[in-house]
Amino acid sequence: MGILVDENTRVVVQGITGREGSFVTKEMLRYGTKVLAGVTPGKGGEVVHGVPVYDTLKQALAAHPTINASLVYVPPLSAKDAAIEAISNGIRLVNIITERVPIHDTSDLYSYAVSKGARVVGPTSVGILTPGKCKLGPIGGTNPDFQFKPGRIGIVSKSGSMTSETAWVLCQAGFGISTALSVGGDVIACSTFADLLPLFEADPDTDAVVMFGEPGGVYEEQAAKLVKEGGFTKPLIAFIAGKFADAMPSGITFGHAGAIMERGMGSPLQKVEALRAAGVRVADVHHEITTLTAEALAQRAAAV
Amino acid sequence: MNLYEYEGKSLFKKYGIRVPEGIFINAPQNAGNIEAFVEEVGEVAVKAQVLSGKRGKAGGVRFCKTAEGTELAVELLLHATIHGSESVGVLVEQRLAIVGEYYLSLTFDGWHRAPVAILSQQGGMEVEELTQRHPEKTVIRPIDSIFGLPEWKAREIAAEAGFREERMRKMADLMVRAYRCFRENDIRLLEINPVIETPKGNFFAADAVVILDDDAMTRHRDFNYPPRGGLGRPLTERELQAKLIDQNDYRGVAGKYIELDGDIAMMSAGGGGSITNMDALISYGGRPANYTEYGGNPPAEKVEKLTRVVLSKPGLTACWHVGAVANNTRVDITMEGFIAGLRAIRPPFPIVVRRGGPAWEEARAALERAREELHLDMTIFGPEMPMTESAKVVLQKSEEYKNKLRGLNC
């Protein structure tokens, strides 16, 4: 099982002819992901690693009606248009890898996605991976099996590189991954921790979730609230990066765009406090997540 | 990018938002028309142009009634240092009579994941204080991103904040104009604090805080704002150099560089990894010389430029090149850029690398060759070493290097 992507995921890559888009397509195909089509306006008729390219998403869907997910890999100022094109054409899962999307654009496309009931992950996502079944996006790079062994721990992270590092540390400790994804570190994340934790809650193949948070915004606080209100009952283990930034002048962005601390909000220490108050295990140093995960699972097993 | 008050106000004027009449002076030789201005408008406010808040309390604003007094205040504030940041000039403005002071801002909010309008009849205080002390007098309302802020919605918000009759209508009009400005200029935060009401019932923006979205700059080629730090201080030479790295080149990101006080040069990859490693270094007692992050598979030349910037800071005792097991950043290519930078700088201090990801083994071999060729004290770790644990190695190496330097001085 896992969440969002599995063996039934059929992918179109928007921006497939770009340097990154084409490279990632090759990697996804090698992993066994079913990439049926690509879209690059003006390059219809080309073929990228055996995948046919269309000018419009509508044409791609007409030729490949089973497509059910889009990977958006277009330049920043085109990301909104591409995502809305996908949603307008009825695609229910859109994963935006593009970084540096203007916030007004993200806000527009999020509003549109909500109105159409589509799930958008990103922008600035590194992708979604369900080990052995589907790799959507650059997550795991050329050799995902190295960091992402199949198993029963979910990972949701604001940071792309830390999604893999977290998986690596967990797998080194003998755990495996059900689904790992990064939601991006922008001020507006189209999917947040609190949006995705209920999916992991409902997934019979996930026993616990490890979450990687960062300074800024309220998404970690929302996750704490969800746990407190009983919306997520499986063990949740968190690490919040950027505690050093508390000592820095407010208004500077360290890390991702959303990591800006403005108006006294978004402090990592406050996030840690909120999560701990909700009963979430929070690691002080990143590699401690493994010990906390083991503890949480042992405690749960003893309780059953 | 944060705009100075005078820049923000000139943007406001284009949208028909009233601002007090004023002149911006950035050098003494440009101050010639003060006398005529004071004669024309009467009492004036002389305001230092700095990006830090709480300027008034720090003596950055003076009120004057005469031309002589104004000239003195201009001289005093022209290059004043307010909260550690040097003023880029002064704004001399007409001082208006005030019958009301209000608060208005437009920004984005993570709870709504949409633009929000924040409006209150209690103007003049900081928004944190406002929302804590007068939550009942402050309304925060989301705005439909696609639909925008129509007049009826603005009237609703103004009415909810307690504005009545003509005041309600005028505040709604101001909000509609401010929202258009916010939207059309890709603004992340637009704050008018206070909005002042004059005895004639007109609303003016007495201050202007505007933060533009750096990610949208390429669709505003008409913007002509000189580079600035947003750090409460001017950019250093190296910070300016770093800013140029990503200009007009979207292949990856390598231009984020903030100079700090410490002695350990940070070459860090990934936004999340970079802050995790800053935490680790500091928690083990180290002092970073800078913050940086590169990622998104940048080409070698970008990483080379960043390396040169990072390693050129005086007083370094070690360099920590650290990143998580990369997903898609070609580690051999980024390390090629790093090695080119090492070749140019030839650092005498120790270097510790911890990395992994696509083509890591090739990268490791290239680093080993460079170590030999350039006679570097470089320790190289792959994924076998936990990322945050390599911080301890850097600190140990830095200590050794400092001891060596002390020995040489004796």
Side-chain angles (χ1 to χ4, degrees), chain A residues 19-20 27 100 103-105 107-108 140-141 147 160 164-165 189-190 195 222 242-244 253 255-256 263, chain B residues 111 113 127-128 145 182-183 187 189 213 215 218-219 256 272 276 279 291 293 297 324-325 327-328 354 383:
Chain A
R19 182 181 74 138
E20 301 291 325
E27 286 181 341
R100 306 199 64 178
I103 189 168
H104 283 268
D105 289 7
S107 164
D108 285 1
Q147 303 112 305
S164 291
E165 187 74 20
C190 293
D195 291 337
Q222 287 174 340
K243 292 176 274 284
F244 79 95
T253 325
H256 300 107
R263 297 150 188 272
Chain B
W111 289 103
R113 284 184 260 175
V127 68
E128 295 90 344
S145 194
F182 172 76
R183 174 83 188 182
I187 291 171
L189 168 68
D213 184 356
D215 294 337
T218 43
R219 64 180 167 207
K256 179 124 193 165
T276 304
D279 280 343
Y291 175 79
E293 72 203 36
N297 209 8
V325 178
N327 289 295
N328 226 43
R354 190 283 186 181

Side-chain angles (χ1 to χ4, degrees), chain A residues 19-20 23-24 27 73 76-77 80 84 99-105 107-112 126 135 138-142 146-148 159-165 168 172 187-192 195 212-215 218-219 221-222 225 239-245 248-257 259-260 262-265 285-287, chain B residues 2 103 105 107-115 118 127-128 143-146 179 182-183 185-189 191 211 213-216 218-219 230-231 246 250-253 256 258 260 269-276 278-280 282 284 291 293 295-299 323-328 330 354-355 357-359 383-389:
Chain A
R19 182 181 74 138
E20 301 291 325
F23 184 71
V24 165
E27 286 181 341
Y73 232 123
L77 296 186
K80 168 181 148 182
I84 291 181
E99 299 184 18
R100 306 199 64 178
V101 177
I103 189 168
H104 283 268
D105 289 7
S107 164
D108 285 1
L109 80 88
Y110 172 68
S111 165
Y112 186 70
V126 77
K135 160 184 149 77
I139 184 167
T142 33
F146 180 73
Q147 303 112 305
F148 296 93
S159 155
S161 61
M162 292 307 290
T163 309
S164 291
E165 187 74 20
W168 165 248
Q172 285 282 91
V187 174
I188 295 181
C190 293
S191 288
T192 60
D195 291 337
F212 180 93
E214 289 180 359
V218 293
Y219 301 142
E221 286 84 342
Q222 287 174 340
K225 187 165 172 269
F239 175 76
I240 309 297
K243 292 176 274 284
F244 79 95
M248 302 284 167
S250 157
I252 305 180
T253 325
F254 293 99
H256 300 107
I260 191 163
E262 284 168 326
R263 297 150 188 272
M265 279 183 14
V285 200
H286 181 252
H287 63 255
Chain B
N2 297 50
Y103 176 92
S105 70
T107 185
F108 290 91
D109 162 309
W111 289 103
H112 300 98
R113 284 184 260 175
I118 306 175
V127 68
E128 295 90 344
I143 294 164
D144 186 306
S145 194
I146 297 172
Y179 189 81
F182 172 76
R183 174 83 188 182
N185 294 284
D186 278 295
I187 291 171
R188 284 179 47 156
L189 168 68
E191 184 183 71
I211 303 179
D213 184 356
D214 293 338
D215 294 337
T218 43
R219 64 180 167 207
L231 302 174
D246 287 330
Y250 270 127
R251 297 172 302 160
V253 178
K256 179 124 193 165
I258 299 168
L260 303 169
S274 297
I275 59 176
T276 304
M278 289 286 278
D279 280 343
I282 292 166
Y284 293 131
Y291 175 79
E293 72 203 36
N297 209 8
V325 178
N327 289 295
N328 226 43
R330 285 282 299 274
R354 190 283 186 181
R355 194 63 162 133
E384 71 282 354
M385 163 65 88
M387 187 176 78
T388 37
E389 211 169 310

Side-chain angles (χ1 to χ4, degrees), chain B residues 93-336:
Chain B
E93 272 187 343
Q94 177 176 25
R95 189 178 186 189
L96 297 167
I98 298 172
V99 297
E101 282 192 286
Y102 315 118
Y103 176 92
L104 170 65
S105 70
L106 298 165
T107 185
F108 290 91
D109 162 309
W111 289 103
H112 300 98
R113 284 184 260 175
V116 291
I118 306 175
L119 181 63
S120 175
Q121 299 225 32
Q122 303 285 321
M125 65 178 86
E126 298 276 318
V127 68
E128 295 90 344
E129 203 184 336
L130 184 67
T131 46
Q132 273 164 26
R133 276 179 46 190
H134 302 284
E136 74 293 346
K137 289 180 181 165
T138 310
V139 300
I140 303 178
R141 293 291 175 269
I143 294 164
D144 186 306
S145 194
I146 297 172
F147 206 52
L149 182 63
E151 283 174 36
W152 63 266
K153 180 79 180 174
R155 287 196 296 269
E156 279 183 9
I157 297 171
E160 279 180 77
F163 291 85
R164 300 278 170 266
E165 295 162 2
E166 198 55 15
R167 282 197 176 92
M168 182 272 289
R169 215 186 50 76
K170 283 192 167 155
M171 181 49 85
D173 178 67
L174 172 62
M175 285 170 68
V176 168
R177 291 172 189 279
Y179 189 81
R180 270 187 51 221
C181 179
F182 172 76
R183 174 83 188 182
E184 288 175 13
N185 294 284
D186 278 295
I187 291 171
R188 284 179 47 156
L189 168 68
L190 184 160
E191 184 183 71
I192 307 177
N193 187 22
V195 173
I196 57 172
E197 184 183 347
T198 61
K200 282 186 183 162
N202 290 321
F203 286 15
F204 284 77
D207 197 0
V209 173
V210 172
I211 303 179
L212 302 173
D213 184 356
D214 293 338
D215 294 337
M217 286 301 184
T218 43
R219 64 180 167 207
H220 296 284
R221 305 236 180 241
D222 52 319
F223 283 172
N224 191 21
Y225 301 112
R228 63 206 59 183
L231 302 174
R233 59 166 169 78
L235 290 178
T236 69
E237 179 99 354
R238 277 175 291 277
E239 285 167 350
L240 278 166
Q241 279 172 22
K243 269 195 180 281
L244 300 176
I245 297 175
D246 287 330
Q247 226 169 43
N248 305 321
D249 188 347
Y250 270 127
R251 297 172 302 160
V253 178
K256 179 124 193 165
Y257 172 84
I258 299 168
E259 214 151 270
L260 303 169
D261 287 337
D263 56 333
I264 313 254
M266 299 290 291
M267 267 300 289
S268 14
S274 297
I275 59 176
T276 304
N277 288 317
M278 289 286 278
D279 280 343
L281 187 76
I282 292 166
S283 76
Y284 293 131
R287 295 173 65 241
N290 65 281
Y291 175 79
T292 192
E293 72 203 36
Y294 71 83
N297 209 8
E301 60 264 34
K302 276 196 172 189
V303 181
E304 179 190 347
K305 285 180 193 161
L306 179 64
T307 305
R308 283 166 174 254
V309 168
V310 167
L311 296 185
S312 62
K313 185 172 183 264
L316 299 177
T317 65
C319 167
W320 190 23
H321 190 153
V322 59
V325 178
N327 289 295
N328 226 43
T329 289
R330 285 282 299 274
V331 182
D332 55 340
I333 291 171
T334 50
M335 285 301 168
E336 183 193 315

